[in-house]
């Protein structure tokens, strides 16, 4: 099924050819949703941009175009306004048939991609033995949603966790491990280091205070890199410990990832440097091998090189990313590489991509994109911290959201004089708490910082997860009250749109596929959130204005179908944000 905008575009394409000749095929009609419902549903603004090219006043062009535009089955007669806007209003009969079609479609009118591609989404990617912080939480939530949307469109998505599991800090950690748990390597298979982050801090303290220890740590790095068995085992132990801690968060948030950490690319690092050398891109600067690119400078305006091999022969973060990029293109066969990290890494990725491009590693048909995001701020507008000024542990943050959702829920249950089982309360509080955190993050344009507020994200009113979940619950409530089997009523009945609020809701329901196509292109999940928020809002207005169960037939069934379509759209849309719906709350 083609979206309305796609159908209109095809009609315009034909009109361009018929009105101005075949060389005009493929002209963009500049079709956008109308800014004001007064002017209809869509407007085509092409006449303005074509005026110069065709040497005619835009209004005359618009008239000529409209004369050849065959859209009577979709729209009312087009209206030309102002300098040459073409305003389009969808016909009620068209809306009714379209709704019937999406209602019979499991995908609600969202067609699978015509040319599915293999795409890598590199997200989450915390660092071993270090805190998984709120920045990683953002990456996890945004990356997962992007992956879900691409998967739903039928792409073959590789969800990669590029964990920081390599680097000189492991020398220090292993040396410290040998010191405090001398028999850890020979006896324990499930060593519990307790809190790995404080273990890291202790090791770091030891490292900073003792020169002899620093030397031991350096030797450990060399041994680890040389593949010494004991050192590898110690490294493994540390990784496993971290992995277990990360997994708790992933399980809680229902996140699936394939771990392919930095260490995976070790064997490919020398070739990266060699090939850059061969391509004539390397410059030696104080013993380090670098690539200088014009346009990249540091704060002082000095050229900012991308260092690929340090003077001691070691490789770094950028070298690994170059190797990973090549591997994903050449071995994985990916056509789109998506990297979800905080904005602070924008320069890093811009440099990595540019170097790879110059080295000829990015074929024409491959797209590489950095998907940056802003900071998570506390309610004081500063970086999110606990009351005592510590970094917030993710586990605590999620638990707190669940606890608060539970308190709200219990208060509501009491107020309404309901009785609910402990099991119900637990599961609903968990869903609401976690969805609230995910949605608060996703609903913001990721390019800006956002303020983390439990009160705001858990509010039943406003652009929040509970508000959307509630709209879904409302439909289920109607179903229970009227003893309706939504699956059965569909199919045999007709949709009839009469009231203004029905029309508004109907038009919105039909826009899902346009929204998904947009998110697929610009990777901004907040567009989907906004769409679902407006859907809930329009549904609530419809429900206030139009009786459903009490309506006469054939309205009753028609409205029940609108309710059902709203619920199904919410369920699908929320699932693409990684959020589960509730039948009751
Ligand atoms: N481990 C990095 C960090 O915590 C993020 C890695 C992102 N992915 C990548 N391919 N560089 O900042």
């Amino acid at each position: 099924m083609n979206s309305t905008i796609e159908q209109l575009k095809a009609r315009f394409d034909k009109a361009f050819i018929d009105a101005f000749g075949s060389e005009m095929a493929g002209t963009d009609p500049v079709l956008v949703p109308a800014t004001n419902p007064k002017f209809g549903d869509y407007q085509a603004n092409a006449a303005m941009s074509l005026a110069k090219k065709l040497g005619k006043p835009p209004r005359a062009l618009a008239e000529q175009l409209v004369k050849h535009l065959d859209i009577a089955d979709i729209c009312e007669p087009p209206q030309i306004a102002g300098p040459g806007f073409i305003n389009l209003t969808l016909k009620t009969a068209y809306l009714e048939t379209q709704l019937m079609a999406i209602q019979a479609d499991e995908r609600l009118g969202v067609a699978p991609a015509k040319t599915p591609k293999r795409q890598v989404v590199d997200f989450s990617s915390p660092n071993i033995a270090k805190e998984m912080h709120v920045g990683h939480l953002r990456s996890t939530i945004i990356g997962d949603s992007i992956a879900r949307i691409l998967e739903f469109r039928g792409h073959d998505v590789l969800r990669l966790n590029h964990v920081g599991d390599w680097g000189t800090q492991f020398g220090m950690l292993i040396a410290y491990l040998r010191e405090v748990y001398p028999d850890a390597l020979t006896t324990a298979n499930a060593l519990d280091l307790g809190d790995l982050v404080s273990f890291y801090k202790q090791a770091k303290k030891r490292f900073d205070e003792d020169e002899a220890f620093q030397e031991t740590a350096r030797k450990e790095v060399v041994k680890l890199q040389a593949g010494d068995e004991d050192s590898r085992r110690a490294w493994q132990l540390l990784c496993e410990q971290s992995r277990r801690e990360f997994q708790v968060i992933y399980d809680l948030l229902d996140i699936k990832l394939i771990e392919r950490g930095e260490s995976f690319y070790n064997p490919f690092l020398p070739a990266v440097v060699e090939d850059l050398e061969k391509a004539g891109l390397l410059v030696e600067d104080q013993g380090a091998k670098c690539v200088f690119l014009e346009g990249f400078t540091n704060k002082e305006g000095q050229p900012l090189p991308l260092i690929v091999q340090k003077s001691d022969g070691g490789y770094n973060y950028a070298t690994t990313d170059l190797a990973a990029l090549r591997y994903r293109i050449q071995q994985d066969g990916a056509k789109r590489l998506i990297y979800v990290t905080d904005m602070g890494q924008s320069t890093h990725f811009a440099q990595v991509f540019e170097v790879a491009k110059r080295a000829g590693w990015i074929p024409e048909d491959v797209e590489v994109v950095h998907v940056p995001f802003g900071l998570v701020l506390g309610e004081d507008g500063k970086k999110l911290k606990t009351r005592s000024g510590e970094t917030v542990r993710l586990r605590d943050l999620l638990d707190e959201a669940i606890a608060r959702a539970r308190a709200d829920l219990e208060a509501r249950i009491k107020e309404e004089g309901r009785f609910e089982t402990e099991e119900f309360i637990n599961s609903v509080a968990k869903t609401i708490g976690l969805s609230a955190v995910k949605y608060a993050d996703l609903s913001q344009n990721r390019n800006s910082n956002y303020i983390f507020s439990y009160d705001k994200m858990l509010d039943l009113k406003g652009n929040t997860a509970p508000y959307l979940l509630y709209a879904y619950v409302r439909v289920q409530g109607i179903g229970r009250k009227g003893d309706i089997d939504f699956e059965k009523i569909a199919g045999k009945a007709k949709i009839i749109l009469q009231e203004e609020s029905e029309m508004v809701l109907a038009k919105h329901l039909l826009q899902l596929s346009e929204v998904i196509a947009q998110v697929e292109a610009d990777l901004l999940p907040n567009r989907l959130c906004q769409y679902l928020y407006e859907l809930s809002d329009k549904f609530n207005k419809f429900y206030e204005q139009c009786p459903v169960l009490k309506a006469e037939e054939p309205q009753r069934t028609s409205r029940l179908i609108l309710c059902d379509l709203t619920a199904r759209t919410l369920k699908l849309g929320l699932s693409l944000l990684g959020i589960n719906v509730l039948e009751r709350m």
Side-chain angles (χ1 to χ4, degrees):
M1 197 179 140
N2 283 331
S3 69
T4 301
I5 235 170
E6 279 170 328
Q7 298 188 51
L8 290 174
K9 273 189 185 149
R11 304 297 174 90
F12 267 97
D13 203 47
K14 191 165 178 306
F16 277 121
I17 299 169
D18 295 348
F20 309 115
S22 58
E23 66 278 11
M24 294 298 284
T27 304
D28 181 3
V30 199
L31 207 55
V32 292
T35 39
N36 183 333
K38 257 199 341 228
F39 302 133
D41 299 310
Y42 291 95
Q43 68 189 56
N45 300 339
M48 269 68 70
S49 42
L50 287 178
K52 227 191 193 145
K53 187 173 163 196
L54 299 178
K56 270 194 194 168
R59 188 136 185 140
L61 289 177
E63 273 157 20
Q64 204 173 336
L65 194 55
V66 163
K67 222 179 277 162
H68 292 87
L69 190 60
D70 177 13
I71 46 168
D73 54 332
I74 305 179
C75 301
E76 303 292 348
Q79 302 293 320
I80 299 170
F85 301 109
I86 301 172
N87 292 335
L88 304 171
T89 303
L90 300 173
K91 271 190 174 160
T92 307
Y94 169 80
L95 293 172
E96 290 167 350
T97 1
Q98 290 296 103
L99 282 176
M100 291 308 291
I102 63 166
Q103 155 336 95
D105 176 9
E106 242 171 64
R107 302 180 54 91
L108 297 172
V110 184
K114 287 196 187 83
T115 42
K117 287 186 206 164
R118 170 159 271 208
Q119 311 201 24
V120 166
V121 184
D122 173 324
F123 71 107
S124 192
S125 309
N127 302 314
I128 298 290
K130 290 196 193 158
E131 191 87 64
M132 183 172 180
H133 52 69
V134 282
H136 297 122
L137 181 68
R138 282 210 89 174
S139 174
T140 306
I141 293 173
I142 297 169
D144 177 57
S145 176
I146 288 174
R148 284 173 189 264
I149 290 167
L150 298 176
E151 283 155 357
F152 179 63
R153 287 274 289 149
H155 296 291
D156 175 10
V157 178
L158 253 171
R159 298 161 156 259
L160 294 185
N161 200 1
H162 191 82
V163 294
D165 63 355
W166 202 251
T168 44
Q169 77 271 24
F170 281 98
M172 171 187 93
L173 291 167
I174 295 171
Y176 191 65
L177 183 70
R178 285 194 201 275
E179 224 173 71
V180 287
Y181 297 101
D183 34 52
L185 294 180
T186 43
T187 54
N189 21 17
L191 172 73
D192 190 1
L193 298 176
D195 181 357
L196 202 50
V197 174
S198 24
F199 180 83
Y200 187 94
K201 282 188 193 146
Q202 286 157 23
K204 181 83 172 62
K205 187 156 173 275
R206 181 91 179 82
F207 185 85
D208 290 341
E209 284 168 0
D210 186 341
E211 266 179 39
F213 182 79
Q214 286 173 19
E215 194 41 43
T216 321
R218 266 189 284 276
K219 283 193 186 131
E220 279 296 348
V221 179
V222 177
K223 272 165 76 185
L224 178 64
Q225 283 173 344
D228 173 85
E229 233 177 82
D230 260 10
S231 309
R232 297 241 4 143
R233 204 171 317 127
W235 171 73
Q236 272 299 348
L237 276 175
L238 292 162
C239 291
E240 270 160 31
Q241 174 90 16
S242 267
R243 220 169 264 145
R244 273 200 296 273
E245 287 176 21
F246 298 155
Q247 198 55 45
V248 174
I249 305 286
Y250 295 144
D251 286 345
L252 207 52
L253 293 173
D254 186 21
I255 305 290
K256 305 262 177 315
L257 274 157
I258 298 169
E259 184 182 318
R260 204 196 266 169
E262 293 182 18
S263 64
F264 176 87
Y265 303 99
N266 283 348
F268 312 110
L269 300 178
V272 166
V273 178
E274 265 164 47
D275 292 348
L276 290 176
E277 182 95 66
K278 278 189 216 142
L281 288 166
L282 283 192
V283 174
E284 220 167 278
D285 189 30
Q286 295 164 48
K289 294 191 172 151
C290 312
V291 185
F292 283 91
L293 302 163
E294 61 278 8
F296 290 96
T297 48
N298 63 13
K299 282 194 206 104
E300 287 78 43
Q302 309 291 342
L304 180 72
L306 186 74
I307 303 172
V308 293
Q309 192 165 20
K310 294 181 278 187
S311 54
D312 66 2
Y315 303 102
N316 57 22
Y317 189 53
T319 330
T320 304
D321 259 325
L322 285 167
L325 179 143
R326 283 222 288 196
Y327 192 92
R328 292 165 185 184
I329 294 174
Q330 294 171 1
Q331 257 64 42
D332 295 324
K335 296 295 179 203
R336 196 184 194 198
L337 310 185
I338 296 168
Y339 298 78
V340 189
T341 79
D342 67 285
M343 227 165 245
Q345 301 197 31
S346 297
T347 306
H348 164 78
F349 283 109
Q351 285 183 305
V352 166
F353 296 166
E354 186 58 27
V355 169
K357 208 154 95 197
R358 298 225 186 156
W361 298 343
I362 307 181
E364 286 272 321
D365 64 341
V366 172
E367 186 198 353
V368 291
V369 241
H370 179 220
V371 171
F373 52 80
L375 301 173
V376 183
L377 305 176
E379 295 196 63
D380 56 1
K382 299 200 189 103
K383 251 184 148 168
L384 188 69
K385 290 266 151 65
T386 61
R387 256 175 248 113
S388 52
E390 309 262 306
T391 29
V392 182
R393 287 186 50 213
L394 292 190
R395 189 64 221 268
D396 297 343
L397 179 141
L398 298 174
D399 285 347
E400 174 81 14
I402 296 172
R404 294 205 190 204
R406 188 190 170 99
D408 287 358
L409 176 64
E410 282 174 338
R412 208 165 56 237
I413 289 173
K414 205 165 156 208
E415 203 180 288
E416 292 168 6
R418 285 155 58 187
F419 171 80
E420 300 292 358
T421 63
E422 198 55 20
E423 200 189 344
F424 173 87
I425 295 175
N426 282 339
S427 103
V428 171
K430 187 172 164 194
T431 301
I432 296 182
L434 297 176
S435 333
V437 172
K438 286 189 181 182
Y439 190 84
D441 194 318
L442 292 167
S443 57
Q444 302 292 319
N445 182 315
R446 57 173 166 73
N447 290 303
S448 41
N449 298 341
Y450 87 97
I451 295 186
F452 191 94
S453 157
Y454 289 113
D455 288 338
K456 281 221 184 79
M457 67 178 71
L458 287 166
D459 198 342
L460 261 180
K461 293 182 277 305
N463 190 4
T464 64
Y467 179 73
L468 305 199
L469 290 173
Y470 192 69
Y472 180 85
V473 164
R474 212 165 184 186
V475 175
Q476 307 316 308
I478 297 168
R480 280 190 297 271
K481 195 164 161 204
D483 199 14
I484 309 291
D485 182 348
F486 283 115
E487 269 171 40
K488 282 214 181 100
I489 57 161
K492 55 182 175 191
K494 242 189 85 74
I495 291 180
I496 316 145
L497 302 170
Q498 280 172 329
E499 300 298 323
E500 178 65 20
S501 60
E502 288 178 300
M503 299 282 274
V504 170
L505 177 61
K507 285 174 188 173
H508 199 76
L509 282 167
L510 290 174
Q511 281 162 17
L512 179 67
S513 69
E514 285 165 26
V515 173
I516 301 235
Q518 244 181 356
V519 182
E520 182 180 344
D522 61 21
L523 307 173
L524 287 172
N526 61 299
R527 291 187 192 283
L528 178 57
C529 297
Q530 186 63 27
Y531 170 82
L532 296 173
Y533 172 54
E534 285 172 21
L535 176 63
S536 309
D537 203 42
K538 287 173 176 169
F539 170 73
N540 287 334
K541 295 219 169 88
F542 151 78
Y543 191 59
E544 274 158 33
Q545 281 159 26
C546 301
V548 176
L549 290 173
K550 293 209 176 95
E552 298 292 323
E553 289 299 355
Q555 263 84 10
R556 186 175 185 268
T557 302
S558 166
R559 289 180 181 164
L560 281 169
I561 297 177
L562 283 179
C563 290
D564 182 44
L565 264 177
T566 302
R568 284 167 61 198
T569 306
L570 281 169
K571 184 173 181 173
L572 172 62
L574 287 168
S575 80
L576 299 179
L577 302 172
I579 294 175
N580 289 326
V581 292
L582 292 162
E583 297 306 302
R584 295 195 301 122
M585 68 190 262

